[in-house]
Amino acid sequence: VQERETEESFPDFGDLCGQKNVRRAAEIAVAGGHNLLLIGPPGSGKTMTAGCIAGILPPMSTEESMEVTKIYSVMGMVNEKQPLIRKRPFRNVHHTATRAALIGGGMIPRPGEISLAHQGVLFLDELPEFKKGVLEVLRQPLEQHCIRITRNYGTYTFPADFMLVAAMNPGSIAYRSKGWLKSQISKKSIFLSKLSILVRFQLAKNSL
């Protein structure tokens, strides 16, 4: 059976300078199968750290590879010459994504980002920017590791067993010529509105 090497190459923790505590938190999250929330200002390495996490996940078994390949085959995302997917998926979802894009949908339902991240990592950057309704749909797959989409003519079940990694800024930062001043702007209302998803993170780490 031929193997398909994904075009995307994951960054390596060897390329991440410093950030010892963040790296340790990522290792613990991977080892324990925990979801991870990274908090820090722009440029602190949150996105790169998330990409590194996909690279240190254990290799997929043949059964897992076949399952992931089936999902990508349904979406027409398999290389016919090298069909078998061996690398764990890493899906970086933009905050403008809709519910259908995230969980799947359509007249004849097709898998969404959470299913494309099956056996891999689902990364949500700029977490507070996601609409509450979009984040709410993650509750079922995070608990049941699958998503069920019901139509008048039947119910479709897609696998969605992924590690959730998210990143967010702690607040706004004002820079001055002589050093820089942190001016935290309260986002309490935003955090409270997203509380149902925030409680799904077993680990939260400040990347400062």
Side-chain angles (χ1 to χ4, degrees):
V1 180
Q2 288 182 306
E3 299 178 4
R4 172 180 176 267
E5 293 294 334
T6 57
E7 294 181 358
E8 179 184 12
S9 59
F10 301 130
D12 189 271
F13 270 125
D15 300 325
L16 188 64
C17 298
Q19 302 287 15
K20 180 179 179 180
N21 292 334
V22 175
R23 294 172 61 171
R24 179 57 177 162
E27 292 167 355
I28 293 173
V30 169
H34 303 308
N35 299 320
L36 178 64
L37 175 62
L38 298 170
I39 305 172
S44 60
K46 302 185 299 294
T47 302
M48 185 174 183
T49 300
C52 291
I53 290 175
I56 64 173
L57 286 169
M60 289 194 293
S61 65
T62 301
E63 182 179 351
E64 290 173 333
S65 294
M66 292 294 291
E67 194 172 30
V68 172
T69 300
K70 288 178 183 178
I71 297 171
Y72 278 74
S73 178
V74 169
M75 298 297 290
M77 300 171 64
V78 171
N79 186 331
E80 294 182 358
K81 295 181 179 180
Q82 298 178 322
L84 188 62
I85 298 176
R86 284 290 189 184
K87 287 186 177 180
R88 292 188 181 272
F90 176 78
R91 303 296 299 182
N92 189 344
V93 183
H94 195 266
H95 61 80
T96 58
T98 63
R99 294 176 59 178
L102 196 61
I103 66 172
M107 288 293 294
I108 300 178
R110 291 159 59 88
E113 289 290 344
I114 62 173
S115 295
L116 292 173
H118 182 60
Q119 300 297 347
V121 175
L122 181 72
F123 179 51
L124 306 181
D125 200 1
E126 303 294 345
L127 183 66
E129 301 300 327
F130 282 83
K131 293 182 179 179
K132 180 182 178 181
V134 173
L135 294 178
E136 285 291 332
V137 299
L138 291 174
R139 296 176 61 182
Q140 177 192 330
L142 285 172
E143 293 175 357
Q144 302 178 5
H145 307 302
C146 67
I147 182 67
R148 294 180 177 86
I149 302 175
T150 302
R151 295 290 183 266
N152 291 334
Y153 42 82
T155 300
Y156 295 76
T157 301
F158 298 120
D161 188 2
F162 54 88
M163 177 182 177
L164 178 61
V165 179
M168 58 182 287
N169 300 326
S172 68
I173 299 177
Y175 293 91
R176 292 183 175 179
S177 57
K178 294 183 180 180
W180 52 281
L181 172 66
K182 292 183 181 179
S183 57
Q184 304 294 342
I185 296 180
S186 174
K187 292 186 177 180
K188 182 177 180 180
S189 59
I190 297 178
F191 295 157
L192 290 178
S193 69
K194 309 290 174 63
L195 186 60
S196 60
I197 186 64
L198 290 177
V199 298
R200 304 294 174 179
F201 292 96
Q202 292 86 8
L203 287 174
K205 182 58 185 174
N206 194 320
S207 60
L208 280 172

